[in-house]
Amino acid sequence: MIPIYKPYMPQNIGVEISEILYSGQLGFGKYGREFENKLQSFIGAEYVLSVSSYNIAMLIVLSTLGLREGDEVIASPVSCLASNQPFAVKGLRVVWVDVNPATGAMCPDDLKSKITKNTKAIFHNHFCGYLGDIESINAICNSFGIPVVDDGIEAFGSQYKGRKLGNLGTDVTVFSFQTVRLPNTIDGGAIVFKDKDLYEKALLIRDYGIDRTIFRSSNGEINPDCDIEVEGYAGLMSELNSYIGTRQMDDINSLLAVQKNNAAIWNDKFTNLDTINSLKITAGCIPNYWVYGTLCKNKTKTIKDFKEQGYYATGVHINNNIYSVFNNNVSLKGVNEFINHFVAVPCGWWFENK
């Protein structure tokens, strides 16, 4: 059966990995900086941080934005649990916003109706690599003076009006490089900041709040005059993970091209069908086609039929508002309709669609 996800790993990297393992330099170093440089070049953004995991990336973002227990954030429940669980960890109050049932993307009108004086940040998830209405969401939040975080957990390489996610004017963008993403660093992630000051604050938070330029005195001992002013995490990516990331970035364009070609074949196959249609794409968006999204009349039957044809189909995620950890099990019409009809089929680099 053709899998819905598959971890990519470049060929012939064993020698370099062995050298790293015995180099005495396993923590963040030259490969970490090289990986960040390649991310900057690919995305077209200056302020990029690589981190040890997507979860750490989200926690760093929450800390960098100064969010505290009890603060209110708005997010979409149509997303990966990994996107929203950090809110529970931080004790934030989550207000769920409805989605457009034709796209799965955050509904601008519903978002606007739910912003209050207590809203501290908006987390705009781009479900399965299909970008939402970024211009409308950003315009609404800018009018209220509220920061927006583009949650690109599955959307690295997705484009909007010719520019890649992370270079679309949003305050912060978060990516995952977990095993089934592109690129994957076995585990890892990245954060992109529009603002230099937030980026520099996040640099400290990524590394326990430490300013490494003054952390040690000339004799190599810890400098007591180096104050720790912000909370922080063990968020630096290792040299091993960073090296794997650099090699994956060498192949990223060709891998995404295969996925785009596979999507074109699915587009043709699902044209003018009564029981299943391609997921509607936001105007100006080119998804990365991490998966290929469809909307079908009978979700259970569609998944079964695809599996019988040798394609592993799935709903991917379930709406997160059902989980008691978020204490907000509100019923949302668009969310319910989308979840009841969305089915993803394989579109990845590992097969040639025919």
Side-chain angles (χ1 to χ4, degrees):
M1 185 176 293
I2 296 172
I4 188 75
Y5 324 117
K6 185 175 181 179
Y8 176 72
M9 195 56 60
Q11 298 294 315
N12 304 317
I13 61 174
V15 173
E16 289 85 354
I17 286 177
S18 180
E19 289 176 354
I20 292 169
L21 290 175
Y22 296 100
S23 68
Q25 172 63 60
L26 295 177
F28 184 88
K30 69 173 185 177
Y31 287 116
R33 290 185 288 273
E34 181 181 347
F35 184 41
E36 289 181 346
N37 289 338
K38 289 191 174 187
L39 293 173
Q40 289 173 328
S41 178
F42 179 83
I43 296 168
E46 182 176 1
Y47 303 122
V48 180
L49 290 181
S50 61
V51 293
S52 55
S53 72
Y54 172 82
N55 182 259
I56 286 293
M58 285 293 292
L59 291 171
I60 289 172
V61 168
L62 299 181
S63 294
T64 302
L65 294 178
L67 298 177
R68 297 284 182 247
E69 184 175 358
D71 283 347
E72 184 175 292
V73 298
I74 295 179
S76 168
V78 178
S79 53
C80 180
L81 176 60
S83 295
N84 299 314
Q85 184 65 277
F87 305 146
V89 172
K90 279 283 194 176
L92 304 178
R93 180 175 181 269
V94 184
V95 174
W96 298 120
V97 67
D98 209 352
V99 302
N100 180 341
T103 64
M106 181 178 282
C107 175
D109 290 339
D110 194 52
L111 168 65
K112 191 172 183 179
S113 73
K114 289 179 176 174
I115 293 175
T116 72
K117 60 182 177 59
N118 299 317
T119 306
K120 302 297 183 183
I122 310 298
F123 289 81
H124 187 189
N125 179 264
H126 302 291
F127 188 73
C128 287
Y130 287 75
L131 301 186
D133 191 345
I134 291 174
E135 284 188 350
S136 295
I137 299 299
N138 287 1
I140 291 169
C141 296
N142 288 340
S143 70
F144 283 91
I146 300 170
V148 185
V149 178
D150 273 334
D151 177 13
I153 183 171
E154 296 145 354
F156 186 85
S158 295
Q159 298 181 52
Y160 183 72
K161 294 187 176 180
R163 293 191 295 169
K164 295 185 177 70
L165 186 66
N167 184 25
L168 298 174
T170 308
D171 299 289
V172 186
T173 307
V174 188
F175 295 109
S176 170
F177 302 144
Q178 191 263 348
T179 52
V180 296
R181 317 292 186 212
L182 276 181
N184 92 71
T185 57
I186 301 179
D187 202 0
I191 314 168
V192 184
F193 293 93
K194 182 176 70 173
D195 180 79
K196 183 180 180 182
D197 290 338
L198 284 181
Y199 165 76
E200 291 180 343
K201 182 179 179 182
L203 275 173
L204 298 178
I205 293 172
R206 179 178 66 168
D207 190 18
Y208 296 109
I210 295 171
D211 181 351
R212 291 289 174 179
T213 64
I214 58 172
F215 186 60
R216 293 192 180 274
S217 301
S218 58
N219 64 357
E221 293 300 303
I222 294 175
N223 179 8
D225 294 326
C226 176
D227 190 20
I228 306 299
E229 299 177 344
V230 295
E231 65 196 51
Y233 306 92
L236 289 162
M237 184 179 284
S238 77
E239 281 292 84
L240 181 61
N241 299 91
S242 297
Y243 170 72
I244 291 171
T246 65
R247 289 295 305 272
Q248 298 230 356
M249 287 303 296
D250 292 339
D251 301 335
I252 191 71
N253 285 315
S254 61
L255 296 170
L256 291 173
V258 172
Q259 296 184 173
K260 185 177 180 181
N261 289 337
N262 283 341
I265 302 299
W266 285 129
N267 286 340
D268 291 339
K269 290 183 178 181
F270 297 137
T271 300
N272 299 322
L273 296 183
D274 292 330
T275 58
I276 185 169
N277 293 288
S278 302
L279 185 65
K280 185 178 179 181
I281 298 174
T282 302
C285 167
I286 301 175
N288 63 1
Y289 293 109
W290 177 65
V291 296
Y292 187 91
T294 74
L295 294 176
C296 57
K297 287 187 176 180
N298 187 323
K299 183 170 182 172
T300 301
K301 183 178 184 302
T302 299
I303 290 174
K304 180 175 180 291
D305 288 346
F306 271 114
K307 288 183 176 179
E308 288 176 350
Q309 296 172 47
Y311 298 98
Y312 193 99
T314 174
V316 185
H317 301 302
I318 194 168
N319 47 306
N320 285 192
N321 54 311
I322 68 171
Y323 295 128
S324 60
V325 68
F326 301 116
N327 195 31
N328 188 12
N329 190 357
V330 61
S331 181
L332 298 167
K333 183 178 179 180
V335 168
N336 295 339
E337 183 176 344
F338 180 79
I339 290 295
N340 286 338
H341 297 284
F342 176 80
V343 172
V345 294
C347 202
W349 53 267
W350 52 90
F351 82 109
E352 182 181 356
N353 206 358
K354 296 180 180 179

